[in-house]
Structure formats: C-alpha cells, structure tokens
Amino acid sequence: MMQKSILIIMAAIIATLSSVAYATSGIATFYTTYTPSACFGNNGQGVMIAAAGDALWDNGAVCGKMFNVKCTGVRNAVPHPCTGESGTVKIVDHCPGCPSTIDLSREAFTQIANPVAGIINIDYHQV
C-alpha cells in the first residue's frame, strides 16, 4: 500500500514538472472587438479567445488551436498584476505587429491579471 502511494505521488510530481517544462515565455495584451476575426469571420467563438501575434501566427496554421495562458509577472509599473489563475483560450484572430505574443480577449486577460496592467509576462502552451 505504501509503495502504491509513493508511486502515485511520484507520478503527480512528474506530471507537474513536465507541464511546466513545456511552457513558453511570452507577452500578453488584450483587445475588446472580437468579430470579424481572421480565422472565423463574423462567427463568434465566445469570449475566452485570443489573437496570435506574428511569432505564433504561422500563416493562420494556429487558427482554432487552444492555449493555456498564465500570468508570470509585470511589464510596467502596475504592481502584482497576476491573479494566480490560468486560462485556456482559442486562437481566432491575427494581431499583426502587436507587441505581444498573444492578444487576449479582455475576459481572458481579466481571469489571469488585472486589466489595468494592460501588458504582462506570461507562460503559455498549446493544449
């Protein structure tokens, strides 16, 4: 019984470490007009959505893909912007020339950070 408990604990630790290992650092901002979008035109996709910056866009290959995003820290003078939560968003648009890797919907940004910050550091990975 003790060996089974240790095995379960070890599996949980490995799963946690591997999810952290696959995260990529980036920058997030937010936007508020969701349609039309480059991927889905005038078909709304909800509010947990995002636009891909040039680094992720890949000629639209990222359209419809889901990403988990977590705030990791401040990029400006707003202290402690992160809520400690993460969010999963669907890429629905392109944000050419954006300063961010991922331009989140306001709702998605608000889930992970104080919107007053406007721009934050993030870790993200495809799910």
Side-chain angles (χ1 to χ4, degrees):
M1 183 71 163
M2 178 85 138
Q3 287 178 330
K4 186 175 181 180
S5 295
I6 291 172
L7 187 59
I8 291 170
I9 291 170
M10 292 299 287
I13 290 170
I14 290 169
T16 300
L17 291 176
S18 47
S19 70
V20 171
Y22 289 109
T24 302
S25 295
I27 300 168
T29 51
F30 71 88
Y31 68 115
T32 57
T33 302
Y34 308 145
T35 54
S37 70
C39 302
F40 299 98
N42 286 315
N43 296 324
Q45 300 294 306
V47 295
M48 293 304 285
I49 56 173
D54 293 328
L56 276 181
W57 182 242
D58 192 20
N59 292 319
V62 75
C63 282
K65 300 219 170 136
M66 305 292 285
F67 287 85
N68 183 270
V69 183
K70 183 169 180 70
C71 176
T72 59
V74 65
R75 286 197 66 82
N76 55 28
V78 175
H80 314 294
C82 302
T83 65
E85 302 213 11
S86 63
T88 301
V89 295
K90 180 178 187 177
I91 301 296
V92 301
D93 210 350
H94 181 208
C95 189
C98 278
S100 58
T101 312
I102 299 177
D103 195 25
L104 300 167
S105 65
R106 182 178 177 92
E107 292 84 353
F109 191 97
T110 301
Q111 182 172 324
I112 67 169
N114 180 344
V116 172
I119 186 168
I120 54 171
N121 291 321
I122 57 167
D123 279 344
Y124 66 95
H125 67 273
Q126 189 174 339
V127 293

